């Protein structure tokens, strides 16, 4: 008896990816050999971005970055856990350590976004029930955000609370980031600056936090915002 072949997957989405790779290869490898020749020796990004895994908020696309520009860490809701050296595997903490200590990035950006399902999970789960095996524990990293928003339920509509919670999660992650000794040391001596950015893809706006407590201000065209923590680093002329 002939072995039945496994069903072929719907190839539409995968075909778009393969076609996209072909365009990428033609654009970069065929037309920009010099860039990739420099990348063969290793990566030297100046900016690390901690972003959400959400498919709508890719930091390289949002910022028009080139290969080698960004060291990117993505997880549910762009959260940063506090410093806990307990010898357990910690992916986000490991990436932060590698980016800051090994690569020596000069900026770390926590990039939140509107309509974040991870933040919504944080706000809506019932403080005891478990809709997910892993997500509920993960978003609990930002439990202080849920506690802060609980007091606003009677004062604002839920969409307004959601936007405030998304920005509050960015600020909480900034504060958590500063608990890492190697981060705090570099912020103190001017080698590293920390930024909290918020992308509203419904409006096409980018906002930046003025401090680890806020507020957020709109980023003006062509004007890099000051860091929320650390010293502003002079940008080279364009």
């Amino acid at each position: 008896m002939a072995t039945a072949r496994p069903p072929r997957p719907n190839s539409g989405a995968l075909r778009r990816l393969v076609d996209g790779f072909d365009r990428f290869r033609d654009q970069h490898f065929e037309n920009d050999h010099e860039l990739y020749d420099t990348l063969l020796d290793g990566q030297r990004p100046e900016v690390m971005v901690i972003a959400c895994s959400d498919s709508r908020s890719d930091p390289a696309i949002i910022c028009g970055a080139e290969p080698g520009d960004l060291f990117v860490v993505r997880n549910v809701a762009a959260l940063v856990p506090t410093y806990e050296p307990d010898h357990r595997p910690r992916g986000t903490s490991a990436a932060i350590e590698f980016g800051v200590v090994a690569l020596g990035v000069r900026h770390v950006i926590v990039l939140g976004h509107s309509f974040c399902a991870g933040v919504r999970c944080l706000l809506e789960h019932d403080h005891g029930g478990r809709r997910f095996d892993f997500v509920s524990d993960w978003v609990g990293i930002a439990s202080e955000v849920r506690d802060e928003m609980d007091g606003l339920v009677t004062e604002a509509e839920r969409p307004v609370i959601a936007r405030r919670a998304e920005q509050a999660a960015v600020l909480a992650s900034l504060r958590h980031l500063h608990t890492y000794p190697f981060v705090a040391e570099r912020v103190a001596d001017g080698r590293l600056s920390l930024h909290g950015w918020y992308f509203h893809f419904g409006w096409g706006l980018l906002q930046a936090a003025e401090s680890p407590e806020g507020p957020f201000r709109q980023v003006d065209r062509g004007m890099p915002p000051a860091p929320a923590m650390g010293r502003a680093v002079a940008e080279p002329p364009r």
Side-chain angles (χ1 to χ4, degrees):
M1 177 182 293
T3 303
R5 293 183 178 181
R8 297 182 61 185
N10 185 333
S11 61
L14 296 182
R15 181 176 296 278
R16 288 196 298 274
L17 298 182
V18 173
D19 291 345
F21 174 75
D22 289 340
R23 292 191 299 272
F24 165 80
R25 182 179 56 191
D26 292 343
Q27 177 183 348
H28 291 284
F29 283 92
E30 301 300 329
N31 297 323
D32 202 349
H33 291 290
E34 183 177 348
L35 170 63
Y36 274 88
D37 286 345
T38 62
L39 295 178
L40 290 174
D41 295 331
Q43 56 173 323
R44 300 174 184 84
E46 293 188 35
V47 179
M48 175 179 179
V49 181
I50 301 170
C52 184
S53 300
D54 194 298
S55 60
R56 302 166 294 180
S57 60
D58 188 306
I61 293 175
I62 292 171
C63 299
E66 294 290 329
D69 284 349
L70 303 177
F71 182 68
V72 179
V73 184
R74 301 185 72 174
N75 61 46
V76 173
L79 296 179
V80 175
T82 54
Y83 178 73
E84 295 184 46
D86 55 5
H87 304 290
R88 298 175 61 187
R90 294 186 179 277
T92 297
S93 298
I96 292 168
E97 182 180 41
F98 188 80
V100 172
V101 177
L103 298 180
V105 296
R106 299 172 66 200
H107 306 272
V108 179
I109 299 171
V110 178
L111 177 64
H113 67 91
S114 59
F115 305 101
C116 181
V119 173
R120 186 170 68 245
C121 178
L122 170 68
L123 296 179
E124 293 182 354
H125 87 77
D126 61 6
H127 303 259
R130 299 186 63 84
R131 180 181 175 191
F132 298 101
D133 288 334
F134 301 104
V135 175
S136 296
D137 287 338
W138 173 254
V139 297
I141 288 171
S143 59
E144 67 262 45
V145 172
R146 182 178 60 228
D147 296 341
E148 178 184 347
M149 295 303 119
D150 278 350
L152 300 177
V153 172
T154 59
E155 301 178 19
E157 296 180 358
R158 290 202 173 270
V160 175
I161 294 174
R163 301 294 82 78
R164 291 186 63 172
E166 289 156 358
Q167 293 185 341
V170 171
L171 300 178
S173 286
L174 277 177
R175 296 191 295 269
H176 292 179
L177 188 57
H178 199 256
T179 66
Y180 291 71
F182 51 84
V183 170
E185 175 187 346
R186 287 164 173 80
V187 169
D189 65 22
R191 286 180 288 165
L192 181 66
S193 61
L194 309 183
H195 306 257
W197 289 7
Y198 178 75
F199 171 54
H200 195 303
F201 58 77
W203 297 340
L205 295 178
L206 182 65
Q207 297 177 314
E210 294 187 343
S211 80
E213 305 297 334
F216 283 79
R217 305 292 186 193
Q218 183 172 332
V219 176
D220 295 326
R221 185 182 296 270
M223 294 292 293
M229 305 180 75
R231 306 172 193 169
V233 178
E235 295 288 333
R238 298 177 62 181

